[in-house]
């Protein structure tokens, strides 16, 4: 009889532990049932492949223009696609625009930029992406780099803020950009900087340093304490969660996205899983899930859909489970950080809902 009671107690403890686990944590299989958002994608086509897969995977998307080509024409073309996708899939997409610094030294640049932003705001843009070309590419008349805190950008930033729009900043690059290829921590950075040597700052030591880029970004933030600022790509402080935590403490209204930096998260998880987990727990309301995935018509719709699903599932597994994982982004195995549902909801939806008003 005693034995029987012990077995029953053990069984009910096990059952309630399992039930508690179920109410506290998501399973990998919960993936399609949980509302999620990817706040950093680039759709440069009219085809529906991206939105179709997002709907299947229960994702909303923030679709972003960027001054990557450095021309106004490229910005206008991207905005056309962004507007088109928003019109066809109003519940899936939230649009962000950008401006070009193509003719920055012309006297009419500021007025042209403000007029362009106004037209995008009137068409539903929620904010403006500012890109690393300010700081890393754009030259002044004396051939030094124009940095983000430059006074000549003040009125454009003021205008964005006065219109209650978001500044979405990809400034600088991952710290790996200033390291030789063999010292880089992630395989995706190694391949990006092999293919884009013009951005591999280790090869251009006369150009501004990593710290110069961070200082210029921070001085811009200091000029506008009221600005709604999103630090894309973990605010380019992807290499250390302690340093990133200190930055978030310094700028209490800023949020970050994790786009294209999960490799850096995995890398730190290999060595300091508990610390990484605690970072995501503590700052869950200021971290937004994102990938930087794009549709530029360079994949078939089937390839596009499977890339998206696999990337999103990989990251879901990392955040909700403690399973051992491998990724081609890093060379060693690591374990998922199994965050509770509340933190998963914040990172995959809640933080973004506050910034981008997703309803
Ligand atoms: Zn991007």
């Amino acid at each position: 009889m005693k034995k029987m009671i012990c077995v029953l107690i053990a069984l009910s403890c096990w059952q309630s532990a399992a039930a508690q686990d179920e109410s506290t944590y998501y399973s990998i299989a919960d993936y399609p049932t949980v509302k999620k958002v990817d706040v950093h994608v680039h759709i440069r086509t009219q085809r529906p492949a991206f939105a179709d897969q997002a709907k299947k995977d229960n994702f909303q998307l923030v679709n972003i223009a960027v001054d990557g080509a450095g021309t106004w024409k490229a910005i206008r073309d991207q905005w056309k696609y962004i507007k088109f996708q928003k019109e066809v899939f109003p519940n899936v997409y939230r649009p962000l625009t950008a401006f070009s610094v193509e003719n920055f030294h012309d006297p009419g640049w500021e007025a042209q930029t403000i007029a362009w932003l106004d037209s995008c705001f009137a068409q539903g843009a929620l904010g403006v992406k500012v890109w690393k070309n300010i700081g890393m590419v754009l030259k002044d008349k004396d051939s030094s780099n124009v940095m983000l805190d430059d006074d000549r950008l003040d009125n454009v930033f003021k205008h964005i803020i006065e219109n209650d729009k978001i500044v979405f900043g990809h400034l600088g690059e991952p710290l790996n950009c200033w390291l030789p290829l063999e010292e880089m921590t992630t395989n995706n950075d190694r391949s990006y900087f092999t293919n884009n040597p013009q951005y591999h700052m280790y090869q251009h030591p006369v150009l501004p340093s990593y710290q110069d880029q961070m200082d210029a970004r921070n001085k811009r933030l200091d000029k506008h304490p009221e600005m709604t600022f999103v630090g894309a790509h973990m605010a380019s402080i992807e290499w250390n969660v302690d340093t990133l935590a200190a930055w978030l403490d310094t700028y209490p209204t800023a949020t970050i996205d994790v786009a294209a930096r999960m490799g850096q998260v995995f890398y730190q998880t290999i060595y300091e899983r508990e610390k990484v987990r605690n970072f995501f727990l503590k700052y869950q309301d200021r971290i937004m899930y994102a990938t930087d995935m794009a549709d530029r018509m360079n994949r078939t719709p089937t390839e596009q859909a499977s890339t998206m699903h696999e990337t999103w599932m990989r990251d879901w597994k990392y955040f909700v489970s403690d399973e051992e994982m491998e990724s081609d982004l890093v060379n060693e195995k690591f374990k998922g950080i199994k965050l509770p549902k509340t933190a998963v909801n914040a990172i995959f939806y809640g933080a973004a809902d506050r910034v981008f008003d997703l309803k």
Side-chain angles (χ1 to χ4, degrees):
M1 185 63 183
K2 246 188 195 167
K3 225 183 206 174
M4 179 79 159
I5 290 169
C6 282
V7 169
L8 281 175
I9 290 172
L11 196 66
S12 78
C13 282
W14 178 80
Q15 276 171 337
S16 71
Q20 196 198 8
D21 204 59
E22 232 168 70
S23 67
T24 311
Y25 300 99
Y26 286 122
S27 70
I28 292 172
D30 287 327
Y31 171 76
T33 67
V34 178
K35 206 159 63 162
K36 301 175 289 297
V37 54
D38 181 336
V39 303
H40 192 148
V41 303
H42 303 284
I43 315 305
R44 295 178 190 165
T45 168
Q46 292 192 344
R47 74 175 178 182
F50 211 103
D52 286 346
Q53 188 61 39
K55 283 195 278 186
K56 281 184 200 154
D57 286 38
N58 212 346
F59 265 96
Q60 285 177 272
L61 305 164
V62 179
N63 192 8
I64 306 174
V66 54
D67 194 23
T71 67
W72 279 105
K73 181 186 179 311
I75 297 278
R76 282 192 294 268
D77 290 348
Q78 290 174 39
W79 180 247
K80 264 184 228 160
Y81 287 130
I82 290 169
K83 242 177 41 174
F84 178 88
Q85 293 282 352
K86 166 77 178 157
E87 276 157 23
V88 180
F89 301 103
N91 300 324
V92 174
Y93 286 112
R94 292 292 174 272
L96 292 191
T97 191
F99 58 84
S100 183
V101 291
E102 181 179 16
N103 52 337
F104 181 70
H105 297 291
D106 292 355
W109 177 82
E110 182 185 292
Q112 180 189 359
T113 299
I114 285 174
W116 166 252
L117 293 178
D118 282 343
S119 77
C120 295
F121 296 157
Q123 295 167 71
L126 298 178
V128 181
K129 181 167 186 177
V130 183
W131 202 53
K132 66 184 181 189
N133 57 340
I134 300 178
M136 300 191 77
V137 179
L138 177 62
K139 295 292 177 194
D140 215 334
K141 287 173 182 162
D142 66 358
S143 82
S144 65
N145 283 26
V146 175
M147 304 302 285
L148 192 74
D149 59 327
D150 194 291
D151 294 347
R152 289 166 289 180
L153 293 163
D154 285 1
N155 288 338
V156 170
F157 275 90
K158 278 185 204 153
H159 192 75
I160 298 169
I161 296 160
E162 278 162 16
N163 281 273
D164 218 9
K165 303 298 175 190
I166 300 151
V167 175
F168 191 95
H170 169 181
L171 288 322
E173 279 289 63
L175 185 61
N176 280 339
C177 173
W178 281 267
L179 299 176
L181 290 169
E182 61 277 12
E183 285 178 31
M184 292 186 185
T185 49
T186 64
N187 297 328
N188 54 314
D189 283 343
R190 247 185 303 274
S191 77
Y192 178 81
F193 291 115
T194 302
N195 296 327
N196 294 279
Q198 74 277 25
Y199 296 132
H200 185 195
M201 287 301 118
Y202 176 73
Q203 299 187 40
H204 308 282
V206 296
L207 292 178
S209 67
Y210 172 79
Q211 200 53 50
D212 292 337
Q213 300 295 347
M214 297 300 96
D215 290 348
R217 187 266 318 276
N218 292 344
K219 282 183 199 155
R220 175 56 64 192
L221 285 165
D222 293 336
K223 285 191 191 194
H224 315 280
E226 72 284 28
M227 173 162 64
T228 303
F229 183 79
V230 178
H233 308 298
M234 302 178 88
S236 296
I237 314 174
E238 72 298 320
W239 52 278
N240 184 292
V241 291
D242 289 334
T243 311
L244 182 51
W247 182 82
L248 285 165
D249 291 343
T250 306
Y251 297 101
T253 60
T255 51
I256 57 166
D257 83 22
V258 296
R261 298 295 179 267
M262 286 306 290
Q264 316 277 358
V265 172
F266 297 158
Y267 182 80
Q268 292 180 68
T269 307
I270 296 167
Y271 301 102
E272 296 184 290
R273 178 176 175 273
E274 227 21 63
K275 190 163 95 172
V276 173
R277 186 171 188 275
N278 287 335
F279 170 79
F280 279 100
L281 271 177
K282 179 169 179 193
Y283 294 96
Q284 56 183 267
D285 295 322
R286 299 174 62 196
I287 302 171
M288 299 186 282
Y289 178 69
T291 59
D292 208 7
M293 284 194 289
D295 187 356
R296 298 186 176 91
M297 294 288 280
N298 53 352
R299 298 184 180 100
T300 67
T302 315
E303 288 165 356
Q304 180 71 40
S306 63
T307 302
M308 293 163 63
H309 182 70
E310 282 163 23
T311 305
W312 284 334
M313 273 307 291
R314 175 199 69 195
D315 298 341
W316 175 258
K317 184 177 172 186
Y318 171 78
F319 284 112
V320 306
S321 86
D322 53 5
E323 287 189 18
E324 190 168 78
M325 295 177 64
E326 284 180 87
S327 160
D328 56 7
L329 301 173
V330 291
N331 296 329
E332 288 172 69
K333 290 179 181 166
F334 55 94
K335 263 173 77 171
I337 55 173
K338 194 172 179 175
L339 296 176
K341 278 181 183 176
T342 43
V344 173
N345 290 342
I347 293 165
F348 277 89
Y349 197 87
D353 187 27
R354 275 191 304 284
V355 176
F356 297 105
D357 193 16
L358 296 171
K359 268 67 155 192

